[in-house]
Amino acid sequence: MLELRDVHIAYGRTEVVHGIDVVVPPDGVAVILGHNGAGKTTLLRAAVGLLPPRPGRVLLDGEDVTGLRPHQRVRRGLAYVPQGQQSFPQLTAAENLQLVADGRRDGRARTGEALDLFPALKELLGRRAGLLSGGQRQQLAIARALITGPRLLILDEPTEGIQPSVVTEIQEAILALTRRGGLSVLLVEQHVGFALSAASTYYVVESGRVTGTGDGGAASTAAVRAAMAI
C-alpha cells in the first residue's frame, strides 16, 4: 500500500531521519513507536508530502509519489490527522464536518458512518469546536478525515494528552476501522499495548533510525519495551 524507501530527511544541514524503510500493508496497520524527538512525526510528514526526502522515495500502491504535493496524495486516497486535535475553532462541530462533506456525492452517508464511530459527537454537533475538550476535538479530527473516504489513514499520536475515557473510545474506533477492511493505517502512538493490539507490523524508531521491527500482537510487547528501554 504505502512504502517509504531509504528515506532521509534534513532540516537545513542537519539530517534527522537516516535511511528509514517502512511498509504499510494493504488493509493492514503499521505502527511507529519511539520516544519524543525520535523522528516519528518527521517521517509522517514525509509520507504526506509536507517534507521532501533527500534522498529516498515514497510509493503509494507501487506508484512513486515522492514528487507529488499533499493535495495530490489526498486525491489518491491518503488522509492525515496530525498531532494537536486540530479543528476550525470558530465553527461548530457540524460545520467542521460539513466543510469536508460538501461537494462529495456520498458526503452525508460518510458523515453518518464517521459519527457512528464516535457517537458522543452526535450530541455536540451544535457546539463550537473551540469549546470541545481535547479528546472531543481529536474525535472530530478523525471523523473529518474519514469523510474523505481514505484508503490510507495516517494518525500522529491520536491519544496524546487526552483523558482516559476518551482514549478508550478512540482506540476502539481505530480497532473497528482496521477490522472492517478496505483501509490501511499508519499510526504513531505512545501507548504500546494499544498500538501493538492494532498493528500488523511495528517499527521502533530512535534518533532517526529503525532500531527494531516485527509483527504486531500482544506477544511483541516485551520486545518493543526492551527496544525502547521502557
Side-chain angles (χ1 to χ4, degrees):
M1 176 53 168
L2 177 74
E3 298 177 61
L4 306 178
R5 293 186 180 175
D6 192 28
V7 169
H8 297 250
I9 304 169
Y11 293 104
R13 295 184 178 180
T14 303
E15 186 171 280
V16 295
V17 170
H18 314 284
I20 285 182
D21 295 297
V22 168
V23 176
V24 184
D27 294 340
V29 182
V31 173
I32 300 176
L33 299 156
H35 298 295
N36 290 335
K40 306 184 303 296
T41 293
T42 297
L43 196 60
L44 294 192
R45 289 171 63 83
V48 176
L50 296 171
L51 288 173
R54 295 173 179 169
R57 293 198 297 159
V58 179
L59 285 77
L60 190 59
D61 290 331
E63 177 188 0
D64 192 333
V65 297
T66 310
L68 296 186
R69 295 181 178 180
H71 72 273
Q72 294 172 311
R73 301 187 195 194
V74 169
R75 290 174 183 166
R76 284 165 169 76
L78 184 152
Y80 176 46
V81 181
Q83 288 176 296
Q85 303 102 42
Q86 296 187 10
S87 64
F88 298 97
Q90 297 304 315
L91 300 180
T92 66
E95 289 168 339
N96 269 266
L97 298 176
Q98 194 65 40
L99 283 174
V100 182
D102 277 347
R104 296 181 183 275
R105 189 179 308 170
D106 55 355
R108 177 176 293 184
R110 289 195 178 277
T111 300
E113 291 171 1
L115 289 174
D116 285 342
L117 280 172
F118 300 111
L121 286 179
K122 295 179 181 180
E123 305 300 320
L124 302 169
L125 291 176
R127 186 175 299 180
R128 286 187 180 183
L131 300 178
L132 301 178
S133 71
Q136 291 162 348
R137 288 196 304 274
Q138 186 67 287
Q139 291 176 318
L140 181 63
I142 297 172
R144 194 171 59 231
L146 291 173
I147 293 172
T148 67
R151 294 183 299 113
L152 172 64
L153 179 63
I154 298 179
L155 300 169
D156 192 357
E157 302 276 16
T159 64
E160 181 185 29
I162 293 173
Q163 59 268 41
S165 61
V166 181
V167 166
T168 300
E169 293 174 7
I170 291 173
Q171 291 176 348
E172 289 175 350
I174 293 171
L175 290 172
L177 286 169
T178 59
R179 288 192 296 264
R180 183 183 299 175
L183 178 70
S184 298
V185 178
L186 177 57
L187 171 68
V188 164
E189 179 56 57
Q190 292 280 1
H191 290 75
V192 173
F194 157 61
L196 292 177
S197 70
S200 307
T201 185
Y202 71 84
Y203 300 84
V204 177
V205 176
E206 293 296 334
S207 301
R209 293 180 171 85
V210 172
T211 58
T213 185
D215 296 331
S220 302
T221 301
V224 169
R225 291 189 181 278
M228 296 175 64
I230 57 175

